Each structure stands twice: as C-alpha cells, then as structure tokens.
C-alpha cells in the first residue's frame, strides 16, 4: 500500500522532504518511517488550518470519494443546476492529469481549481490549501472537493473537510462496501449513483449494497441518484441543505466537525511509533500572503516523550 508505493509524498508536501525542507532529514538520518509519520502529522496540522479557514467563513466543506467513473462530476453539475446560484459553491477537482473536470464545472459558471496529482492516488491537505488560495470564497456556502477516483487512500487523509460522501455506482458490484471497508466506514453518506441503469442491470441489488455497508459498521444514510436524469437530486440537495444548517449551528456554538479518517489507513501508511523523539514547530510560512484570518493559532509545538513502540 502507500508505505511502499510512496504516495504519501505528493506535489503538495514534497517541499517538506526536498533538500532544505523541514523534514529533509530524519531524527537518525536513516529512518524513512519517521519521515512518513511526520508527513501524516503535517497533513493533520494543515487540515486543521484548512477547517479553521472554512469555519471562519461559515463554509461547509464536503469531500466526494468514489472509484473512477462513479459520477462525481455529473453529480456536481446537477448540484449546480439544482442550487440555482453558482456563486454559492466552489469546487476543487483532483485527478492524476487533465483539466477536464474543472472545465465542466467552470462551464456551469462555478469557480473550479484542478489539482493534477501526477502519480498520487489521493488529495492531501497541503494540495487543498494551495487550491484555496486560487479561489474567491466571498459569499460561498459550499466547498466541494472531488477527490481522485480511488476506493482506498482518500479515506486516510484529513483534508480539512467536514463531511465525506462516498459514491457507489450501480455499474460496480453491490459488494464494494465489503471489499473496501476503509472507504465506506469513513462515509457520512453513501450515494448510489446511475440508478437509472438498474432497469437494465440485473446483477446489482441496492438492498445488498446497503446491507454490505451496515456489515462494515456504518450507520451512514443511503440515497439514490441518477444525476444526468435529475432523479434523486432533490433528496441530495435536501441532505446538503440540512448539513449546511448543522454547520451554521456548530459555528454559532463555536465548535467544528472533523470527518471520519480511517485509522487503518494511517496505520498502513506508517507504523505508529511512540518513543521516537519528535519535536517540531510550525510557522506556516508559504511565501505568499493568506489575506485572511483563520480563527486559530498555527504556532504548533510538539514534544513527545520517549516510550514503547507499538
């Protein structure tokens, strides 16, 4: 998995491990595991920063995850049409290459930034942070993050979002939640897509898909939608509007919401080692002006005492 394929290191965080970067040398100069774990720590700090930025502006951030071709971009196009006010939302798109999806969103009059990850199979918090600096968030209610099509790694990275939505197309197997439990356990909503094709598909049972979701321990609601036909979009919009109300209530109460980020993924990305001397400070200098306040401090300091490896 990612501890061997190297996808922890992305264009968004590569500067940390490049020569001269803050993580360019490990504590003992040799322990790659320490670098990988430190990258995950850095990602979580950046995600906290991103979420504070959303909360300070009253924005709800939603991370869309699925396998490739499940219909994430078509869902966003239908969402733009249903909301009726393109200024309410912006989109961050993630793919290995091309601007295709961002171009489709811009054609609908909505701001969109495309992140080309190269070989990385997921977005990370640093990539999202950089994309936010290319967007005007004034008056925006919703930030949708369309993650790279992949049913594994995206569930393991906190991007700063509040909610995860996992799409499952009926052209895939109804046992996908059982096969990819890490992804589906992280979902705050499972959206069955392309349901208009059920009339010609006899090998996908929506009830079995929901049963598979329950068997992996998820209580997430399940909605059905066929974005290109407009079917089920009203229920999807109602869910979004309900979550916007919940976000406004959290902001009024001075709280926030962190989505489920699967510990299994974090464990697989790098063994958790308690005892490695770990001391780092953040000043979040990026070489550019933020031009906004975040409502929280980013002067992070950490000192972990020695302990046992687990």
């Amino acid at each position: 998995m990612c501890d061997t394929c190297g996808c922890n290191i992305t264009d968004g965080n590569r500067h940390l491990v490049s020569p001269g970067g803050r993580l360019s040398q490990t504590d003992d100069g040799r322990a790659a595991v320490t670098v990988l774990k430190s990258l995950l720590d850095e990602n979580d700090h950046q995600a906290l920063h991103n979420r504070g930025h959303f909360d300070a502006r009253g924005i709800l951030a939603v991370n869309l995850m699925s396998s490739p071709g499940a219909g994430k971009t078509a869902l966003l196009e239908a969402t733009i049409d249903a909301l009726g006010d393109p200024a309410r939302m912006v989109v961050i798109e993630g793919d290995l290459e091309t601007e295709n999806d961002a171009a489709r969103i811009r054609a609908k009059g909505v701001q969109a930034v495309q992140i080309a990850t190269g070989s990385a199979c997921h977005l990370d918090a640093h990539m999202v942070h950089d994309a936010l600096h290319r967007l005007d968030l004034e008056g925006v209610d919703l930030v949708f993050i369309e993650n790279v099509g992949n049913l594994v790694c995206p569930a393991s990275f906190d991007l700063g979002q509040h909610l995860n939505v996992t799409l499952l197309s009926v052209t895939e197997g109804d046992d996908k939640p059982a096969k990819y439990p890490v992804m589906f356990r992280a979902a705050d909503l499972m959206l069955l897509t392309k349901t208009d094709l059920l009339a010609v598909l006899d090998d996908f049972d929506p009830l079995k898909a929901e049963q598979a979701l329950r068997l992996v321990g998820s209580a997430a609601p399940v909605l059905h939608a066929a974005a290109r036909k407009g079917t089920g979009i009203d229920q999807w919009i109602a869910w979004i509007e309900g979550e916007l109300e919940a976000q406004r209530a959290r902001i009024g109460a001075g709280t926030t919401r962190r989505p489920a980020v699967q510990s299994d993924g974090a464990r697989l990305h790098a063994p958790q080692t308690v005892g490695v001397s770990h001391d780092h400070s953040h000043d979040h200098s990026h070489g550019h002006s933020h031009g906004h306040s975040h409502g929280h401090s980013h002067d992070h300091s950490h000192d972990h005492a020695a302990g046992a490896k687990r």
Side-chain angles (χ1 to χ4, degrees):
M1 201 147 156
C2 296
D3 54 342
T4 54
C5 78
C7 72
N8 300 70
I9 301 173
T10 67
D11 287 343
N13 63 21
R14 196 181 306 278
H15 64 284
L16 296 170
V17 295
S18 296
R22 186 144 39 85
L23 302 178
S24 59
Q25 292 186 342
T26 61
D27 293 334
D28 61 4
R30 292 178 292 115
V33 166
T34 303
V35 173
L36 295 177
K37 184 177 186 303
S38 296
L39 282 173
L40 287 172
D41 287 344
E42 291 291 337
N43 182 81
D44 288 347
H45 288 310
Q46 184 64 63
L48 179 68
H49 169 92
N50 294 349
R51 193 157 32 250
H53 186 44
F54 293 136
D55 290 341
R57 290 180 172 271
I59 290 171
L60 177 69
V62 181
N63 180 34
L64 301 180
M65 302 184 291
S66 76
S67 57
K72 297 188 293 298
T73 310
L75 176 69
L76 288 171
E77 291 174 318
T79 302
I80 295 166
D81 292 341
L83 288 174
D85 181 1
R88 291 190 64 189
M89 59 182 276
V90 299
V91 177
I92 298 171
E93 294 280 357
D95 277 308
L96 269 64
E97 296 291 347
T98 83
E99 285 260 334
N100 293 354
D101 290 349
R104 288 171 58 181
I105 298 301
R106 292 187 196 114
K108 290 281 188 179
V110 168
Q111 294 183 78
V113 170
Q114 183 79 47
I115 300 173
T117 63
S119 60
C121 54
H122 62 270
L123 297 178
D124 65 28
H126 291 86
M127 293 176 176
V128 170
H129 173 254
D130 290 345
L132 289 173
H133 279 275
R134 297 163 59 190
L135 293 164
D136 179 3
L137 299 180
E138 186 66 32
V140 168
D141 293 323
L142 290 159
V143 170
F144 285 103
I145 304 166
E146 183 179 338
N147 219 311
V148 178
N150 174 9
L151 281 179
V152 184
C153 302
S156 300
F157 288 82
D158 186 355
L159 307 177
Q161 78 275 29
H162 302 100
L163 296 164
N164 289 326
V165 174
T166 301
L167 281 64
L168 173 59
S169 166
V170 302
T171 57
E172 305 174 64
D174 49 27
D175 58 351
K176 277 289 190 298
K179 288 183 172 179
Y180 297 89
V182 171
M183 173 64 66
F184 286 90
R185 282 196 199 105
D188 295 297
L189 170 72
M190 183 171 83
L191 189 63
L192 290 184
T193 58
K194 305 184 181 182
T195 52
D196 54 320
L197 298 178
L198 284 171
V200 294
L201 295 173
D202 59 5
D203 58 350
F204 188 100
D205 184 339
L207 181 58
K208 287 184 177 178
E210 182 166 352
Q211 289 172 338
L213 180 70
R214 303 302 173 222
L215 285 173
V216 299
S218 172
V222 178
L223 295 178
H224 297 193
R228 295 192 183 281
K229 299 291 179 63
T231 307
I233 297 303
D234 288 348
Q235 289 79 11
W236 158 247
I237 295 297
W239 185 84
I240 288 291
E241 295 288 0
E243 293 297 336
L244 269 171
E245 287 301 315
Q247 170 69 348
R248 290 170 185 136
R250 286 192 292 269
I251 292 170
T255 62
T256 191
R257 184 183 194 280
R258 184 177 188 265
V261 177
Q262 291 298 290
S263 57
D264 282 355
R267 176 177 57 78
L268 290 168
H269 276 74
Q272 295 183 21
T273 303
V274 178
V276 174
S277 176
H278 181 63
D279 183 358
H280 62 265
S281 299
H282 293 221
D283 59 9
H284 280 277
S285 61
H286 308 287
H288 58 264
S289 171
H290 284 226
H292 57 253
S293 62
H294 307 288
H296 65 276
S297 170
H298 294 287
D299 183 15
H300 305 286
S301 295
H302 298 263
D303 292 291
H304 299 301
K309 186 173 182 178
R310 62 188 183 187

